[in-house]
Amino acid sequence: MGTDDIDTPFTSFEAQTARFDLSWLQKYRLDKKLPTLFVLRGVDAGLRIPLTKETVTLGRTIESDLIFHDDQISRRHAMIRLDPEKQCYCLGDLGSTNGTFLNDKPITEVEPLKDGDKIFIGTTILKFMLQDEVEMESGELVDRLMFQDDLTGLVVKRRFYNDLRVRIGTAATQGTPLSILMMDLDGLKQINDRHGHAMGASLIAEVGKLIGGIIGSKGQACRYGGDEFIAYVLSPEGEGVSVAEAIRAAVKDYPHVKDGVQVQATISIGVAGFPEKGRSLEALTKAADEALYRAKAKGRNVVSD
């Protein structure tokens, strides 16, 4: 057997679908059907993932295209890829520790996927669906309700912490940098007392959008609660402090206006970097929270590490 004839599901999968014409998929999408994964069971239950690439890998670390927060899933567990001859998506295992199952049966070779098929990886169950335009719009609405903070548009806390755990695990195993930012608006109570809670809520919403825009692709942010925010950036602590300073300056210089009334806010930020300030989620968030208290003790509108 030559090296191209292969003995592993991964190579077989790669070899079978390495080159093909995607024109049929364009027609498939123009018919308003989009292949989608829906998480039926697991930490990520409710998550809907449209398959917009010809190849996606599933796993529990950033080595995969789709990350699932399940420690029974391998780092690179399975792959879903278009099959040009069968004109459908197919499922293959990537040599995972616990195996990949299709409708409760373990797969030993590449298997075609049909609408409604259930994929079992670790303790997570996914449903493969072909969604039309109405179903996609409905799914997008459900996604926003489940995973997006309705005030700021940032990701909800549950989803944020799931992602952060993965990032910390990756930092620990691969030695990549990461910093956590804990943030708290200064003087919101006075703004609420003077101008009403509607003004305060509007301010929180705008500050959340400012934070999300500055974090961008460098990491992720969420509203921790009330007027508190938390974010991570995939950078060493020094760069995390620079990002925090950019947020502090943006909030200070932002003239928030509602119903003709302008208020000015500031924000205090604590920064903690991995691994200097901690190697676990609990240790890092505690260190960032302590840094935030130091920032407030220095007079607020301060970044502290």
Side-chain angles (χ1 to χ4, degrees), residues 74-288:
S74 296
R75 299 167 68 88
R76 295 180 78 254
H77 193 107
M79 180 185 288
I80 296 177
R81 178 174 269 186
L82 291 170
D83 185 312
E85 296 180 358
K86 297 177 181 178
Q87 296 195 357
C88 66
Y89 272 95
C90 290
L91 174 69
D93 186 75
L94 295 179
S96 64
T97 301
N98 297 318
T100 300
F101 296 75
L102 180 60
N103 298 322
D104 287 332
K105 295 181 179 179
I107 62 171
T108 57
E109 57 186 21
V110 179
E111 297 283 352
L113 288 169
K114 304 183 298 298
D115 187 20
D117 277 348
K118 294 182 178 63
I119 301 168
F120 296 74
I121 53 174
T123 61
T124 298
I125 303 176
L126 310 171
K127 184 177 182 180
F128 178 80
M129 303 182 297
L130 302 176
Q131 292 195 309
D132 62 23
E133 186 175 15
V134 173
E135 290 167 327
M136 285 186 282
E137 289 177 355
S138 175
E140 289 169 0
L141 174 60
V142 171
D143 287 350
R144 287 195 296 273
L145 292 173
M146 289 191 64
F147 299 110
Q148 190 177 66
D149 178 54
D150 56 359
L151 186 60
T152 63
L154 298 174
V155 67
V156 296
K157 188 160 62 173
R158 177 173 68 90
R159 183 69 188 174
F160 173 85
Y161 274 103
N162 287 342
D163 291 341
L164 180 53
R165 286 188 178 91
V166 170
R167 297 295 185 174
I168 292 173
T170 301
T173 57
Q174 298 185 6
T176 51
L178 181 143
S179 297
I180 290 180
L181 286 64
M182 293 289 288
M183 298 165 272
D184 193 358
L185 278 174
D186 303 321
L188 184 70
K189 183 179 185 304
Q190 289 78 7
I191 292 173
N192 285 339
D193 290 345
R194 183 172 181 180
H195 302 289
H197 286 80
M199 174 66 84
S202 177
L203 177 61
I204 290 170
E206 292 302 311
V207 169
K209 292 178 175 65
L210 281 176
I211 292 171
I214 292 171
I215 295 294
S217 62
K218 294 185 286 290
Q220 192 173 75
C222 86
R223 183 161 67 106
Y224 187 79
D227 59 345
E228 298 174 316
F229 298 86
I230 183 172
Y232 70 78
V233 291
L234 303 177
S235 306
E237 186 173 272
E239 294 180 25
V241 168
S242 296
V243 172
E245 284 287 0
I247 292 171
R248 185 200 62 77
V251 173
K252 178 179 178 293
D253 295 338
Y254 183 74
H256 181 69
V257 180
K258 176 177 171 56
D259 299 331
V261 177
Q262 179 174 321
V263 296
Q264 205 75 35
T266 60
I267 194 167
S268 299
I269 307 176
V271 183
F274 177 96
E276 298 85 0
K277 301 293 176 58
R279 302 185 64 89
S280 68
L281 173 62
E282 293 74 16
L284 280 171
T285 52
K286 180 182 179 182

Side-chain angles (χ1 to χ4, degrees), residues 49-69:
I49 311 164
L51 300 179
T52 57
K53 296 169 57 179
E54 62 266 31
T55 303
V56 291
T57 54
L58 286 59
R60 62 176 173 81
T61 70
I62 57 173
E63 297 170 18
S64 298
D65 298 310
L66 302 181
I67 302 170
F68 297 93
H69 308 95

